[in-house]
PDB file of all heavy atoms in Angstrom:
ATOM      1  N   GLY Q   1      88.436  99.035  96.944  1.00 48.00           N
ATOM      2  CA  GLY Q   1      88.679  99.915  98.072  1.00 48.00           C
ATOM      3  C   GLY Q   1      88.264 101.347  97.775  1.00 48.00           C
ATOM      4  O   GLY Q   1      87.368 101.606  96.985  1.00 48.00           O
ATOM      5  N   SER Q   2      88.973 102.292  98.399  1.00 49.00           N
ATOM      6  CA  SER Q   2      88.658 103.700  98.169  1.00 49.00           C
ATOM      7  C   SER Q   2      89.104 104.107  96.772  1.00 49.00           C
ATOM      8  O   SER Q   2      90.011 103.541  96.191  1.00 49.00           O
ATOM      9  CB  SER Q   2      89.366 104.561  99.221  1.00 49.00           C
ATOM     10  OG  SER Q   2      90.756 104.357  99.145  1.00 49.00           O
ATOM     11  N   SER Q   3      88.447 105.129  96.246  1.00 58.00           N
ATOM     12  CA  SER Q   3      88.773 105.579  94.893  1.00 58.00           C
ATOM     13  C   SER Q   3      90.161 106.206  94.879  1.00 58.00           C
ATOM     14  O   SER Q   3      90.543 106.944  95.775  1.00 58.00           O
ATOM     15  CB  SER Q   3      87.733 106.592  94.418  1.00 58.00           C
ATOM     16  OG  SER Q   3      87.720 107.705  95.286  1.00 58.00           O
ATOM     17  N   VAL Q   4      90.940 105.877  93.865  1.00 77.00           N
ATOM     18  CA  VAL Q   4      92.295 106.389  93.715  1.00 77.00           C
ATOM     19  C   VAL Q   4      92.399 107.016  92.336  1.00 77.00           C
ATOM     20  O   VAL Q   4      91.907 106.461  91.348  1.00 77.00           O
ATOM     21  CB  VAL Q   4      93.329 105.250  93.866  1.00 77.00           C
ATOM     22  CG1 VAL Q   4      94.732 105.772  93.623  1.00 77.00           C
ATOM     23  CG2 VAL Q   4      93.227 104.614  95.246  1.00 77.00           C
ATOM     24  N   ASN Q   5      93.029 108.158  92.277  1.00 86.00           N
ATOM     25  CA  ASN Q   5      93.227 108.821  91.000  1.00 86.00           C
ATOM     26  C   ASN Q   5      94.331 108.112  90.216  1.00 86.00           C
ATOM     27  O   ASN Q   5      95.497 108.120  90.618  1.00 86.00           O
ATOM     28  CB  ASN Q   5      93.597 110.291  91.227  1.00 86.00           C
ATOM     29  CG  ASN Q   5      93.755 111.038  89.917  1.00 86.00           C
ATOM     30  OD1 ASN Q   5      93.107 110.700  88.922  1.00 86.00           O
ATOM     31  ND2 ASN Q   5      94.608 112.054  89.920  1.00 86.00           N
ATOM     32  N   VAL Q   6      93.962 107.471  89.108  1.00 90.00           N
ATOM     33  CA  VAL Q   6      94.927 106.731  88.285  1.00 90.00           C
ATOM     34  C   VAL Q   6      95.205 107.549  87.035  1.00 90.00           C
ATOM     35  O   VAL Q   6      94.291 107.817  86.248  1.00 90.00           O
ATOM     36  CB  VAL Q   6      94.384 105.341  87.911  1.00 90.00           C
ATOM     37  CG1 VAL Q   6      95.406 104.593  87.056  1.00 90.00           C
ATOM     38  CG2 VAL Q   6      94.032 104.545  89.163  1.00 90.00           C
ATOM     39  N   PRO Q   7      96.453 107.968  86.816  1.00 90.00           N
ATOM     40  CA  PRO Q   7      96.777 108.786  85.640  1.00 90.00           C
ATOM     41  C   PRO Q   7      96.472 108.049  84.341  1.00 90.00           C
ATOM     42  O   PRO Q   7      96.498 106.815  84.291  1.00 90.00           O
ATOM     43  CB  PRO Q   7      98.285 109.040  85.797  1.00 90.00           C
ATOM     44  CG  PRO Q   7      98.573 108.803  87.250  1.00 90.00           C
ATOM     45  CD  PRO Q   7      97.615 107.749  87.685  1.00 90.00           C
ATOM     46  N   PRO Q   8      96.196 108.769  83.278  1.00 92.00           N
ATOM     47  CA  PRO Q   8      95.959 108.137  81.971  1.00 92.00           C
ATOM     48  C   PRO Q   8      97.155 107.282  81.548  1.00 92.00           C
ATOM     49  O   PRO Q   8      98.303 107.652  81.780  1.00 92.00           O
ATOM     50  CB  PRO Q   8      95.776 109.335  81.025  1.00 92.00           C
ATOM     51  CG  PRO Q   8      95.381 110.463  81.913  1.00 92.00           C
ATOM     52  CD  PRO Q   8      96.059 110.238  83.223  1.00 92.00           C
ATOM     53  N   GLY Q   9      96.853 106.156  80.922  1.00 94.00           N
ATOM     54  CA  GLY Q   9      97.922 105.257  80.476  1.00 94.00           C
ATOM     55  C   GLY Q   9      98.522 104.425  81.575  1.00 94.00           C
ATOM     56  O   GLY Q   9      99.510 103.705  81.349  1.00 94.00           O
ATOM     57  N   THR Q  10      97.940 104.524  82.768  1.00 96.00           N
ATOM     58  CA  THR Q  10      98.468 103.818  83.936  1.00 96.00           C
ATOM     59  C   THR Q  10      97.395 102.903  84.510  1.00 96.00           C
ATOM     60  O   THR Q  10      96.205 103.213  84.433  1.00 96.00           O
ATOM     61  CB  THR Q  10      98.915 104.821  85.017  1.00 96.00           C
ATOM     62  OG1 THR Q  10      99.930 105.660  84.485  1.00 96.00           O
ATOM     63  CG2 THR Q  10      99.446 104.124  86.257  1.00 96.00           C
ATOM     64  N   ARG Q  11      97.808 101.816  85.072  1.00 96.00           N
ATOM     65  CA  ARG Q  11      96.895 100.894  85.728  1.00 96.00           C
ATOM     66  C   ARG Q  11      97.350 100.667  87.167  1.00 96.00           C
ATOM     67  O   ARG Q  11      98.541 100.619  87.447  1.00 96.00           O
ATOM     68  CB  ARG Q  11      96.863  99.562  84.970  1.00 96.00           C
ATOM     69  CG  ARG Q  11      95.863  98.559  85.524  1.00 96.00           C
ATOM     70  CD  ARG Q  11      95.882  97.271  84.715  1.00 96.00           C
ATOM     71  NE  ARG Q  11      95.152  96.215  85.382  1.00 96.00           N
ATOM     72  CZ  ARG Q  11      95.244  94.924  85.094  1.00 96.00           C
ATOM     73  NH1 ARG Q  11      96.053  94.528  84.117  1.00 96.00           N
ATOM     74  NH2 ARG Q  11      94.546  94.020  85.736  1.00 96.00           N
ATOM     75  N   LEU Q  12      96.394 100.543  88.065  1.00 96.00           N
ATOM     76  CA  LEU Q  12      96.677 100.295  89.478  1.00 96.00           C
ATOM     77  C   LEU Q  12      96.568  98.811  89.777  1.00 96.00           C
ATOM     78  O   LEU Q  12      95.581  98.159  89.426  1.00 96.00           O
ATOM     79  CB  LEU Q  12      95.699 101.087  90.358  1.00 96.00           C
ATOM     80  CG  LEU Q  12      95.712 100.767  91.856  1.00 96.00           C
ATOM     81  CD1 LEU Q  12      97.084 101.065  92.467  1.00 96.00           C
ATOM     82  CD2 LEU Q  12      94.612 101.554  92.571  1.00 96.00           C
ATOM     83  N   HIS Q  13      97.578  98.271  90.461  1.00 97.00           N
ATOM     84  CA  HIS Q  13      97.594  96.863  90.866  1.00 97.00           C
ATOM     85  C   HIS Q  13      97.714  96.807  92.387  1.00 97.00           C
ATOM     86  O   HIS Q  13      98.561  97.487  92.976  1.00 97.00           O
ATOM     87  CB  HIS Q  13      98.784  96.131  90.246  1.00 97.00           C
ATOM     88  CG  HIS Q  13      98.834  96.219  88.750  1.00 97.00           C
ATOM     89  ND1 HIS Q  13      98.432  95.205  87.923  1.00 97.00           N
ATOM     90  CD2 HIS Q  13      99.246  97.235  87.933  1.00 97.00           C
ATOM     91  CE1 HIS Q  13      98.603  95.567  86.668  1.00 97.00           C
ATOM     92  NE2 HIS Q  13      99.086  96.799  86.641  1.00 97.00           N
ATOM     93  N   ARG Q  14      96.878  95.984  93.008  1.00 97.00           N
ATOM     94  CA  ARG Q  14      96.898  95.864  94.469  1.00 97.00           C
ATOM     95  C   ARG Q  14      97.328  94.464  94.888  1.00 97.00           C
ATOM     96  O   ARG Q  14      96.974  93.470  94.246  1.00 97.00           O
ATOM     97  CB  ARG Q  14      95.510  96.167  95.050  1.00 97.00           C
ATOM     98  CG  ARG Q  14      95.089  97.632  94.971  1.00 97.00           C
ATOM     99  CD  ARG Q  14      93.769  97.827  95.726  1.00 97.00           C
ATOM    100  NE  ARG Q  14      93.422  99.230  95.858  1.00 97.00           N
ATOM    101  CZ  ARG Q  14      92.677  99.898  94.981  1.00 97.00           C
ATOM    102  NH1 ARG Q  14      92.211  99.285  93.903  1.00 97.00           N
ATOM    103  NH2 ARG Q  14      92.390 101.168  95.179  1.00 97.00           N
ATOM    104  N   PHE Q  15      98.063  94.408  96.003  1.00 98.00           N
ATOM    105  CA  PHE Q  15      98.561  93.142  96.521  1.00 98.00           C
ATOM    106  C   PHE Q  15      98.472  93.129  98.045  1.00 98.00           C
ATOM    107  O   PHE Q  15      98.477  94.185  98.686  1.00 98.00           O
ATOM    108  CB  PHE Q  15     100.028  92.933  96.119  1.00 98.00           C
ATOM    109  CG  PHE Q  15     100.257  92.909  94.630  1.00 98.00           C
ATOM    110  CD1 PHE Q  15     100.510  94.096  93.938  1.00 98.00           C
ATOM    111  CD2 PHE Q  15     100.215  91.726  93.934  1.00 98.00           C
ATOM    112  CE1 PHE Q  15     100.717  94.090  92.571  1.00 98.00           C
ATOM    113  CE2 PHE Q  15     100.417  91.704  92.555  1.00 98.00           C
ATOM    114  CZ  PHE Q  15     100.668  92.883  91.879  1.00 98.00           C
ATOM    115  N   ARG Q  16      98.396  91.916  98.592  1.00 98.00           N
ATOM    116  CA  ARG Q  16      98.420  91.764 100.060  1.00 98.00           C
ATOM    117  C   ARG Q  16      99.179  90.486 100.408  1.00 98.00           C
ATOM    118  O   ARG Q  16      99.018  89.455  99.774  1.00 98.00           O
ATOM    119  CB  ARG Q  16      97.003  91.717 100.631  1.00 98.00           C
ATOM    120  CG  ARG Q  16      96.153  90.592 100.063  1.00 98.00           C
ATOM    121  CD  ARG Q  16      94.727  90.593 100.611  1.00 98.00           C
ATOM    122  NE  ARG Q  16      93.920  89.552  99.969  1.00 98.00           N
ATOM    123  CZ  ARG Q  16      93.903  88.272 100.359  1.00 98.00           C
ATOM    124  NH1 ARG Q  16      94.618  87.900 101.400  1.00 98.00           N
ATOM    125  NH2 ARG Q  16      93.167  87.386  99.719  1.00 98.00           N
ATOM    126  N   GLN Q  17     100.017  90.586 101.423  1.00 98.00           N
ATOM    127  CA  GLN Q  17     100.743  89.431 101.938  1.00 98.00           C
ATOM    128  C   GLN Q  17     100.438  89.318 103.440  1.00 98.00           C
ATOM    129  O   GLN Q  17     101.023  90.033 104.256  1.00 98.00           O
ATOM    130  CB  GLN Q  17     102.256  89.592 101.720  1.00 98.00           C
ATOM    131  CG  GLN Q  17     103.096  88.438 102.254  1.00 98.00           C
ATOM    132  CD  GLN Q  17     102.602  87.077 101.790  1.00 98.00           C
ATOM    133  OE1 GLN Q  17     101.823  86.401 102.486  1.00 98.00           O
ATOM    134  NE2 GLN Q  17     103.021  86.672 100.602  1.00 98.00           N
ATOM    135  N   PRO Q  18      99.502  88.426 103.800  1.00 98.00           N
ATOM    136  CA  PRO Q  18      99.074  88.340 105.197  1.00 98.00           C
ATOM    137  C   PRO Q  18      99.991  87.507 106.086  1.00 98.00           C
ATOM    138  O   PRO Q  18      99.794  87.475 107.305  1.00 98.00           O
ATOM    139  CB  PRO Q  18      97.693  87.677 105.087  1.00 98.00           C
ATOM    140  CG  PRO Q  18      97.794  86.813 103.858  1.00 98.00           C
ATOM    141  CD  PRO Q  18      98.692  87.561 102.908  1.00 98.00           C
ATOM    142  N   VAL Q  19     100.971  86.822 105.500  1.00 98.00           N
ATOM    143  CA  VAL Q  19     101.870  85.969 106.287  1.00 98.00           C
ATOM    144  C   VAL Q  19     103.147  86.751 106.593  1.00 98.00           C
ATOM    145  O   VAL Q  19     103.790  87.272 105.680  1.00 98.00           O
ATOM    146  CB  VAL Q  19     102.201  84.670 105.526  1.00 98.00           C
ATOM    147  CG1 VAL Q  19     103.104  83.772 106.370  1.00 98.00           C
ATOM    148  CG2 VAL Q  19     100.924  83.933 105.136  1.00 98.00           C
ATOM    149  N   PRO Q  20     103.548  86.832 107.862  1.00 98.00           N
ATOM    150  CA  PRO Q  20     104.770  87.582 108.189  1.00 98.00           C
ATOM    151  C   PRO Q  20     106.000  86.982 107.513  1.00 98.00           C
ATOM    152  O   PRO Q  20     106.177  85.762 107.480  1.00 98.00           O
ATOM    153  CB  PRO Q  20     104.877  87.447 109.717  1.00 98.00           C
ATOM    154  CG  PRO Q  20     103.518  87.055 110.180  1.00 98.00           C
ATOM    155  CD  PRO Q  20     102.900  86.271 109.064  1.00 98.00           C
ATOM    156  N   MET Q  21     106.855  87.858 106.988  1.00 98.00           N
ATOM    157  CA  MET Q  21     108.050  87.422 106.269  1.00 98.00           C
ATOM    158  C   MET Q  21     109.113  88.500 106.361  1.00 98.00           C
ATOM    159  O   MET Q  21     108.808  89.670 106.598  1.00 98.00           O
ATOM    160  CB  MET Q  21     107.709  87.138 104.809  1.00 98.00           C
ATOM    161  CG  MET Q  21     107.085  88.320 104.108  1.00 98.00           C
ATOM    162  SD  MET Q  21     106.805  88.049 102.350  1.00 98.00           S
ATOM    163  CE  MET Q  21     107.627  89.502 101.695  1.00 98.00           C
ATOM    164  N   PRO Q  22     110.387  88.147 106.163  1.00 98.00           N
ATOM    165  CA  PRO Q  22     111.449  89.164 106.188  1.00 98.00           C
ATOM    166  C   PRO Q  22     111.390  90.053 104.955  1.00 98.00           C
ATOM    167  O   PRO Q  22     110.867  89.664 103.908  1.00 98.00           O
ATOM    168  CB  PRO Q  22     112.729  88.328 106.211  1.00 98.00           C
ATOM    169  CG  PRO Q  22     112.348  87.020 105.593  1.00 98.00           C
ATOM    170  CD  PRO Q  22     110.924  86.783 105.983  1.00 98.00           C
ATOM    171  N   THR Q  23     111.961  91.242 105.078  1.00 98.00           N
ATOM    172  CA  THR Q  23     111.864  92.216 103.986  1.00 98.00           C
ATOM    173  C   THR Q  23     112.615  91.777 102.745  1.00 98.00           C
ATOM    174  O   THR Q  23     112.285  92.237 101.639  1.00 98.00           O
ATOM    175  CB  THR Q  23     112.388  93.592 104.428  1.00 98.00           C
ATOM    176  OG1 THR Q  23     113.684  93.435 105.011  1.00 98.00           O
ATOM    177  CG2 THR Q  23     111.461  94.233 105.437  1.00 98.00           C
ATOM    178  N   TYR Q  24     113.611  90.896 102.869  1.00 98.00           N
ATOM    179  CA  TYR Q  24     114.331  90.488 101.666  1.00 98.00           C
ATOM    180  C   TYR Q  24     113.451  89.683 100.721  1.00 98.00           C
ATOM    181  O   TYR Q  24     113.823  89.456  99.558  1.00 98.00           O
ATOM    182  CB  TYR Q  24     115.621  89.726 102.011  1.00 98.00           C
ATOM    183  CG  TYR Q  24     115.454  88.307 102.531  1.00 98.00           C
ATOM    184  CD1 TYR Q  24     115.176  87.243 101.669  1.00 98.00           C
ATOM    185  CD2 TYR Q  24     115.625  88.018 103.886  1.00 98.00           C
ATOM    186  CE1 TYR Q  24     115.048  85.945 102.145  1.00 98.00           C
ATOM    187  CE2 TYR Q  24     115.504  86.722 104.360  1.00 98.00           C
ATOM    188  CZ  TYR Q  24     115.214  85.689 103.491  1.00 98.00           C
ATOM    189  OH  TYR Q  24     115.095  84.396 103.965  1.00 98.00           O
ATOM    190  N   LEU Q  25     112.267  89.273 101.187  1.00 98.00           N
ATOM    191  CA  LEU Q  25     111.336  88.534 100.344  1.00 98.00           C
ATOM    192  C   LEU Q  25     110.312  89.436  99.654  1.00 98.00           C
ATOM    193  O   LEU Q  25     109.471  88.946  98.898  1.00 98.00           O
ATOM    194  CB  LEU Q  25     110.624  87.455 101.150  1.00 98.00           C
ATOM    195  CG  LEU Q  25     111.499  86.295 101.623  1.00 98.00           C
ATOM    196  CD1 LEU Q  25     110.703  85.344 102.518  1.00 98.00           C
ATOM    197  CD2 LEU Q  25     112.091  85.537 100.444  1.00 98.00           C
ATOM    198  N   ILE Q  26     110.358  90.739  99.901  1.00 98.00           N
ATOM    199  CA  ILE Q  26     109.499  91.645  99.137  1.00 98.00           C
ATOM    200  C   ILE Q  26     110.055  91.720  97.715  1.00 98.00           C
ATOM    201  O   ILE Q  26     111.244  91.975  97.520  1.00 98.00           O
ATOM    202  CB  ILE Q  26     109.442  93.041  99.771  1.00 98.00           C
ATOM    203  CG1 ILE Q  26     108.812  92.953 101.170  1.00 98.00           C
ATOM    204  CG2 ILE Q  26     108.652  94.004  98.901  1.00 98.00           C
ATOM    205  CD1 ILE Q  26     108.788  94.272 101.928  1.00 98.00           C
ATOM    206  N   ALA Q  27     109.202  91.454  96.738  1.00 98.00           N
ATOM    207  CA  ALA Q  27     109.679  91.378  95.351  1.00 98.00           C
ATOM    208  C   ALA Q  27     108.641  91.952  94.412  1.00 98.00           C
ATOM    209  O   ALA Q  27     107.438  91.890  94.679  1.00 98.00           O
ATOM    210  CB  ALA Q  27     109.974  89.923  94.964  1.00 98.00           C
ATOM    211  N   ILE Q  28     109.133  92.491  93.301  1.00 98.00           N
ATOM    212  CA  ILE Q  28     108.249  93.045  92.278  1.00 98.00           C
ATOM    213  C   ILE Q  28     108.825  92.730  90.899  1.00 98.00           C
ATOM    214  O   ILE Q  28     110.049  92.663  90.717  1.00 98.00           O
ATOM    215  CB  ILE Q  28     108.085  94.576  92.450  1.00 98.00           C
ATOM    216  CG1 ILE Q  28     107.059  95.128  91.446  1.00 98.00           C
ATOM    217  CG2 ILE Q  28     109.426  95.299  92.332  1.00 98.00           C
ATOM    218  CD1 ILE Q  28     106.667  96.574  91.712  1.00 98.00           C
ATOM    219  N   ALA Q  29     107.936  92.505  89.949  1.00 98.00           N
ATOM    220  CA  ALA Q  29     108.317  92.365  88.542  1.00 98.00           C
ATOM    221  C   ALA Q  29     107.250  93.064  87.704  1.00 98.00           C
ATOM    222  O   ALA Q  29     106.052  92.931  87.976  1.00 98.00           O
ATOM    223  CB  ALA Q  29     108.436  90.898  88.138  1.00 98.00           C
ATOM    224  N   VAL Q  30     107.681  93.797  86.700  1.00 98.00           N
ATOM    225  CA  VAL Q  30     106.777  94.528  85.804  1.00 98.00           C
ATOM    226  C   VAL Q  30     107.239  94.289  84.375  1.00 98.00           C
ATOM    227  O   VAL Q  30     108.386  94.576  84.030  1.00 98.00           O
ATOM    228  CB  VAL Q  30     106.783  96.042  86.105  1.00 98.00           C
ATOM    229  CG1 VAL Q  30     105.771  96.759  85.226  1.00 98.00           C
ATOM    230  CG2 VAL Q  30     106.503  96.311  87.584  1.00 98.00           C
ATOM    231  N   GLY Q  31     106.363  93.731  83.556  1.00 98.00           N
ATOM    232  CA  GLY Q  31     106.741  93.476  82.178  1.00 98.00           C
ATOM    233  C   GLY Q  31     105.558  93.045  81.342  1.00 98.00           C
ATOM    234  O   GLY Q  31     104.430  92.916  81.838  1.00 98.00           O
TER     235      GLY Q  31
END
């Protein structure tokens, strides 16, 4: 996509969910 300024030591991750769903199903894990 468009260029994004990513700080040093950081990585950008992109996601898309095209199927409609309730907000309680929005989830993230980082490890």
